[in-house]
Amino acid sequence: MIAHLFGEVTEKLNSSAIIDVHGVGYEVILTSVDLDRFELKSAVKIYTYHALRENAEELYGFSSLAAKRLFELLISVNGIGPKAAMNILSLGAPEEVRNAIANTDAAYIAKASGVGKKSAERVIVDLRDKVGLPSKYGGSGSSLEFVGHAPENDEALDALIALGFPLKEATAALAEIDPALPVEQRITAALKQR
């Protein structure tokens, strides 16, 4: 199992990038958010999910461990495959997607390419209790706009997940801790809560 790759982005394709790791090029399918963020010739660390099917092997990549865990939750939903999960994660930052699920915003999830209203509702029903507490939203109806603190790559959240916390517990543990504190202090405070 390939857990992560650290290498240089040598090519960017429609929905994937070639990551050169010591002379070996791995084609990694990325969300549109990550694909836009990664620059050619830049060094990147990508957490991966290796999907094996009867007629294909695909490597899906994520800029954070939290995004990978959210992807794994999404593909556990009946009817949501890896491509649909990547389309859902392409809607915005992983924290925005997680908050949409936590806030039962099926209209937001249904905006993903290839995800209909019924599939979006199934995602909400199956995952709402697994993704943790919602952050605040402003506005009303389906035009909710994210206004809470949503760091693109929360190192404290990734560290807690790496320590074995489920996404829901890691999110809840960090919810009451000041996000302005250094990463180490946030992790220590979260561990003391457990």
Side-chain angles (χ1 to χ4, degrees):
M1 175 73 71
I2 301 171
H4 73 267
L5 299 173
F6 183 78
E8 181 181 288
V9 179
T10 58
E11 294 179 53
K12 289 171 70 172
L13 309 169
N14 286 339
S15 62
S16 62
I18 306 296
I19 310 300
D20 185 294
V21 180
H22 300 293
V24 178
Y26 293 90
E27 183 173 358
V28 182
I29 299 168
L30 301 168
T31 65
S32 61
V33 175
D34 285 339
L35 193 59
D36 290 343
R37 185 172 5 147
F38 294 153
E39 300 290 328
L40 285 175
K41 304 295 181 198
S42 65
V44 295
K45 179 177 182 179
I46 298 176
Y47 294 93
T48 59
Y49 179 88
H50 191 185
L52 296 172
R53 294 190 324 228
E54 189 174 303
N55 57 354
E57 279 189 58
E58 296 172 319
L59 202 56
Y60 293 88
F62 311 92
S63 59
S64 70
L65 194 54
K68 179 183 176 182
R69 296 295 183 244
L70 186 54
F71 172 83
E72 290 170 338
L73 286 173
L74 286 167
I75 62 174
S76 73
V77 175
N78 188 24
I80 302 294
K83 290 185 180 175
M86 292 301 275
N87 289 338
I88 292 170
L89 288 172
S90 291
L91 292 171
E95 183 65 13
E96 291 177 49
V97 175
R98 187 195 70 76
N99 277 295
I101 295 168
N103 280 298
T104 65
D105 188 359
Y108 180 87
I109 303 300
K111 291 179 188 176
S113 176
V115 178
K117 181 180 177 185
K118 288 184 181 185
S119 294
E121 290 170 353
R122 191 176 310 119
V123 166
I124 299 297
V125 169
D126 288 0
L127 300 183
R128 182 182 52 204
D129 294 332
K130 296 179 182 178
V131 297
L133 301 172
S135 293
K136 295 179 182 177
Y137 274 82
S140 61
S142 63
S143 62
L144 296 176
E145 184 179 324
F146 184 75
V147 295
H149 174 73
E152 192 69 24
N153 291 311
D154 189 344
E155 291 180 33
L157 182 63
D158 282 350
L160 290 175
I161 290 170
L163 289 171
F165 278 67
L167 180 61
K168 178 179 179 177
E169 287 181 28
T171 305
L174 291 171
E176 300 298 320
I177 299 170
D178 183 5
L181 290 173
V183 173
E184 296 82 13
Q185 289 181 4
R186 292 178 68 214
I187 294 168
T188 302
L191 290 173
K192 286 181 182 177
Q193 290 179 11
R194 197 168 207 203

